[in-house]
Amino acid sequence: QIKAYNNILVVVKQTPFELYSQLKAQGKAPVALRWERLQNRFDTHHKCVELVVDILKKLHIKYQVVRRDELHRGCLHDKDLIICVGGDGTVLNTSSFVDDSIPVLGVNSDPTKPEERGVTNVKDERRSRGALCAITSYELEQSLPDLLYGLKSPGLRSRIQCLIRSTYTETRLP
C-alpha cells in the first residue's frame, strides 16, 4: 500500500506537570497544586505521543518529534505532514509556522471523557475540547493509519493572513 505521507514532524505540547516540575526543582512552584491530577494528565498525554510514534514506526514512516516550545521553521524542511499532539493551543501555535503547503493534523491527547461532559465549573474543567483537532487519542489507532495511507484526508480550515507595514519594514504573518 502506498503511503500518502513519508516524512512527518510530530509536535508535542509541554504539559503543566512538566512546567511545574521544573519550577518545583527551582523552589518556585505554587504550593497548592494538585500534583496527582497534573501527573495523570501528563501520563495520558505521554501515552498518546508514544502511540503516535509507535504507529509511525510500525508503518515505517520517517518522523521527527519536537516539543512545541522548540519548534522553528527549520524543523519543517522536507516534511509533508505535521501531527500536533496536544490540543487546540498546540495546533494554533504550530500553524503559525506554516503556510498551506504542509497539512497540519491535530490530535487531542487528553479529550473530555463522556462522563465528564456537562461540567460547568470553569475552575474545575476536566480536559480539552479539541475543537481544532481532527482526531482524539481514542480513535488514533484506526484513524491515523487511514490518513497516512490516504484513505482519509485532513479537513481544511480557513486562515487569516496579516500584513503589517511600518515605515521601515513589512511583515507578513501566515
Side-chain angles (χ1 to χ4, degrees):
Q1 208 170 17
I2 298 172
K3 291 175 252 181
Y5 304 100
N6 297 300
N7 193 0
I8 296 175
L9 180 64
V10 180
V11 179
V12 298
K13 74 174 183 179
Q14 187 174 22
T15 65
F17 178 78
E18 294 168 288
L19 295 169
Y20 286 127
S21 293
Q22 291 170 359
L23 289 175
K24 186 178 183 182
Q26 300 168 7
K28 298 178 182 177
V31 177
L33 286 178
R34 294 184 283 178
W35 286 102
E36 185 177 319
R37 181 173 179 258
L38 293 175
Q39 175 78 52
N40 175 271
R41 295 301 184 274
F42 167 78
D43 292 342
T44 300
H45 170 71
H46 189 69
K47 285 177 189 171
C48 183
V49 172
E50 287 178 342
L51 182 56
V52 168
V53 168
D54 288 346
I55 291 169
L56 296 175
K57 283 180 182 176
K58 185 173 141 185
L59 298 176
H60 305 289
I61 296 176
K62 184 177 172 184
Y63 69 92
Q64 173 188 357
V65 178
V66 65
R67 272 194 356 216
R68 170 180 141 175
D69 60 319
E70 296 172 337
L71 180 64
H72 56 85
R73 293 198 198 297
C75 297
L76 307 175
H77 181 68
D78 290 338
K79 301 301 185 277
D80 51 15
L81 176 68
I82 300 172
I83 300 175
C84 300
V85 184
D88 290 343
T90 309
V91 172
L92 287 170
N93 179 262
T94 301
S95 68
S96 70
F97 285 87
V98 300
D99 55 22
D100 60 359
S101 66
I102 306 174
V104 176
L105 173 69
V107 177
N108 187 347
S109 62
D110 192 15
T112 301
K113 293 180 178 179
E115 66 270 15
E116 294 172 337
R117 291 196 177 107
V119 173
T120 57
N121 184 350
V122 176
K123 291 182 180 176
D124 193 32
E125 185 178 342
R126 297 292 183 209
R127 286 177 164 71
S128 166
R129 182 165 166 259
L132 299 176
C133 296
I135 57 179
T136 69
S137 57
Y138 302 134
E139 57 207 16
L140 194 59
E141 289 181 88
Q142 176 62 43
S143 295
L144 186 56
D146 286 352
L147 183 115
L148 296 174
Y149 280 117
L151 302 174
K152 291 183 179 179
S153 59
L156 297 175
R157 300 269 189 209
S158 297
R159 293 184 43 170
I160 296 174
Q161 187 176 63
C162 179
L163 180 63
I164 302 169
R165 291 186 178 148
S166 68
T167 307
Y168 302 106
T169 186
E170 182 174 288
T171 304
R172 183 177 306 273
L173 302 175

